[in-house]
Amino acid sequence: MRFTKGITAVFHALALCALPSAALSAYVGGSQSLPPQMWPASLIEPAVARVTVEQARYAKAGTPVVVKGSIAQHVGSDQYVFEDETSSILVSIPDQTWRGQDIAPTNVVELHGTLKKTPRLVKINVAKIVKVQ
């Protein structure tokens, strides 16, 4: 009986060695994480639908928004007027958000930000600017 168990164990070991190499293969290369600029956008930002400025005006405070249009005018410090085909809205764009981009009123941009509302003011606090044209 002992002899039979030993033979069975050897048989199973040989059977495993005979499996195709694909069945036992695994990635053996280096493990290095990708820099954030190479991550898919879906991992970095939650999915946010693009809305018009008019739609953004009626959204709840704190709502993440993406609007597409142009930055029409600088009105002071980090405050700008943004417009699309439906309306215009005040946006707040901190210096670091520009990331060295030159953007003119003729450029089309996407602004990613959060809606801020007070009883007398509706604006978008911009976190990201994407130059479309």
Side-chain angles (χ1 to χ4, degrees), residues 25-33:
S25 64
Y27 179 72
V28 293
S31 166
Q32 185 176 5
S33 60

Side-chain angles (χ1 to χ4, degrees), residues 13-14 16 28 36 42 45 47 50 78 80 90 92 125 127 133:
L14 289 173
L16 283 175
V28 293
S42 61
E45 307 173 345
R50 189 176 333 151
D78 67 350
Y80 298 84
L90 186 66
S92 177
N125 288 331
Q133 289 180 323

Side-chain angles (χ1 to χ4, degrees), residues 71-81 98:
I71 300 171
Q73 182 181 359
H74 181 233
V75 292
S77 68
D78 67 350
Q79 306 293 306
Y80 298 84
V81 174
W98 292 98

Side-chain angles (χ1 to χ4, degrees), residues 12-127:
H12 285 293
L14 289 173
L16 283 175
C17 292
L19 284 175
S21 62
L24 298 174
S25 64
Y27 179 72
V28 293
S31 166
Q32 185 176 5
S33 60
L34 292 173
Q37 63 267 26
M38 294 180 69
W39 294 353
S42 61
L43 294 178
I44 300 170
E45 307 173 345
V48 178
R50 189 176 333 151
V51 296
T52 66
V53 169
E54 192 64 28
Q55 291 168 327
R57 289 183 173 287
Y58 294 103
K60 198 168 86 173
T63 301
V65 295
V66 176
V67 291
K68 183 177 180 181
S70 61
I71 300 171
Q73 182 181 359
H74 181 233
V75 292
S77 68
D78 67 350
Q79 306 293 306
Y80 298 84
V81 174
F82 176 84
E83 39 185 53
D84 68 3
E85 67 278 353
T86 65
S87 189
S88 61
I89 192 168
L90 186 66
V91 295
S92 177
I93 307 174
D95 288 339
Q96 67 272 16
T97 306
W98 292 98
R99 294 187 347 232
Q101 300 179 89
D102 290 326
I103 297 175
T106 55
N107 295 125
V108 176
V109 295
E110 271 188 354
L111 301 183
H112 299 239
T114 307
L115 197 65
K116 180 176 181 181
K117 284 185 155 184
T118 65
R120 293 186 291 160
L121 176 72
V122 178
K123 76 174 184 176
I124 298 171
N125 288 331
V126 178

